[in-house]
Amino acid sequence: MKQACKWFPLLLKAQQKRPENWIGCLAMIAVMFVIASLKLPDGANFGVGIYCEKPEYATEMQTMLNQNETVYDFKVYDSKERMKEEILNGTIECGFDIDASFKEKFANKNQKDVITYYCSSYTTRGEVAKETLYVTLLKMQSEIFLQVAAPEIYEKPDAQLIEELQKQQEYYESSDALLAVRSEVIGEPNPETPKKYSAYQESHPYMGSLAILLFLVIFLSVGDTLAKEKSGFPICLTAHERFIYACTKAFAAAAVPGIVAFILACIFGEGSRNPFWILLKLLLLLLVAFVFCYALARILRRENRYMASLLALLLAIAVMTTSYFDLSTMFPVIGYLRWLLPVSYFLL
């Protein structure tokens, strides 16, 4: 312990003179602001935008759509550009631009380019919303369809015939008479049944990114110690003293990045932002990361093997932890294996 107390100030001072130490801090800040500027759709986001140059027509359509049994919440926009912007930032799933002369074009059997569909590459749930919208549009225009199609079916249809057809149509649209559907509720809902949700809901991009960067600081510090074991200062130390030296050097390297990560976690972090809880998780991450990296260095022994393992570790962290998505819902074994990786302890 006395040796650690002597080495820590010297190693901390030496670390501050290394450019990569400050590059890591700047990287943390930059990553936080980049993630903060992004907004991915989550499991509760089922908004759909509607825009039309005739607001009354868009409002009528919205009213009919929201009366149906659908998971989507349709919203009318007075600006096409604003609707596109909210699609890009993930506020809504997709959007529809309805031509103002929609009714006239349908009456003239011209359905080309009457609807423009906008979506982002983040989600494909809007594809189902298209079907919902199309059914409602056809229902709204059904009277026009009857008037247009009747002369083709009947040579000389009169007003009474069209009126009778419209009554039949309204009857089938307002009930389950067409298929004589019978509804039956089976049993009670099971509260223990897991809810379906998006893999992004259980992700922690802010905390995960900070944890990965801190893990890299510890990993590189241990790697640097391993490289100098046969030619640098550690060659004069016993095995026990080497362990203390490596631990002291790793914590000295993580001191400033750790302070920066603590501040950023209190500002941006997901879940509880209790400073004491964040500090506890931070110390746990650093401790577990050092033990993990030091054990890995002892197993691999050579610096080139140790550094080569970094790629596999980063891939494992991305797939197995909840930094950016949670795959344990599809592969439950991942939920247990992730605790082998130090990053998971910062995401508690």
Side-chain angles (χ1 to χ4, degrees), residues 22 49-50 81 107 128 140 186 224 235 284 293 295 326 333-334 337:
W22 299 102
I50 301 174
E81 298 306 318
V128 181
M140 292 175 62
I186 303 175
D224 186 57
I235 198 172
L284 181 62
C293 293
D326 184 8
V333 68
I334 290 179
L337 294 177

Side-chain angles (χ1 to χ4, degrees), residues 324-345:
Y324 303 109
F325 41 77
D326 184 8
L327 294 181
S328 62
T329 54
M330 293 179 280
F331 305 101
V333 68
I334 290 179
Y336 301 99
L337 294 177
R338 67 171 53 137
W339 298 110
L340 297 174
L341 300 170
V343 171
S344 297
Y345 295 90

Side-chain angles (χ1 to χ4, degrees), residues 146-159:
L146 285 174
Q147 294 175 354
V148 172
E152 298 178 1
I153 302 174
Y154 307 97
E155 292 184 0
K156 293 181 180 181
D158 53 18

Side-chain angles (χ1 to χ4, degrees), residues 96-219:
F96 297 91
D97 179 10
I98 312 297
D99 194 294
S101 57
F102 179 86
K103 292 184 178 181
E104 293 77 8
K105 288 186 176 181
F106 259 76
N108 296 324
K109 299 182 181 182
N110 178 19
Q111 293 90 24
K112 187 176 181 181
D113 299 330
V114 292
I115 301 175
T116 303
Y117 171 68
Y118 299 105
C119 65
S120 71
S121 58
Y122 294 129
T123 175
T124 58
R125 286 184 292 198
E127 296 295 325
V128 181
K130 284 198 296 187
E131 306 300 326
T132 304
L133 180 80
Y134 295 163
V135 169
T136 302
L137 285 175
L138 293 174
K139 184 177 180 180
M140 292 175 62
Q141 303 304 317
S142 56
E143 183 177 351
I144 296 177
F145 292 153
L146 285 174
Q147 294 175 354
V148 172
E152 298 178 1
I153 302 174
Y154 307 97
E155 292 184 0
K156 293 181 180 181
D158 53 18
Q160 184 178 357
L161 176 61
I162 293 179
E163 183 179 354
E164 184 64 27
L165 291 174
Q166 290 175 350
K167 288 181 180 179
Q168 288 292 325
Q169 178 197 4
E170 292 174 1
Y171 170 70
Y172 287 121
E173 284 181 350
S174 60
S175 68
D176 295 327
L178 181 62
L179 299 176
V181 175
R182 180 170 60 89
S183 301
E184 181 179 350
V185 179
I186 303 175
E188 297 295 331
N190 184 0
E192 297 181 358
T193 302
K195 296 181 180 180
K196 294 183 178 179
Y197 61 93
S198 169
Y200 294 105
Q201 279 186 283
E202 291 300 314
S203 63
H204 307 85
Y206 293 104
M207 302 293 275
S209 298
L210 292 175
I212 291 172
L213 289 170
L214 285 174
F215 173 76
L216 287 175
V217 170
I218 299 293
F219 185 91

Side-chain angles (χ1 to χ4, degrees), residues 13 31 99 149 156 177 180 185 204 233 263 283 307 319 346:
K13 185 177 180 180
V31 168
D99 194 294
K156 293 181 180 181
V185 179
H204 307 85
F233 172 68
I263 297 172
L283 294 175
M307 298 305 295
V319 173
F346 194 58

Side-chain angles (χ1 to χ4, degrees), residues 55-79:
E56 65 278 3
Y57 188 63
T59 304
E60 178 189 359
M61 191 181 305
Q62 178 198 26
T63 303
M64 291 190 67
L65 284 165
N66 288 333
Q67 285 175 351
N68 297 331
E69 293 183 3
T70 174
V71 296
Y72 294 101
D73 179 24
F74 292 88
K75 179 181 177 181
V76 174
Y77 287 83
D78 55 6
S79 168

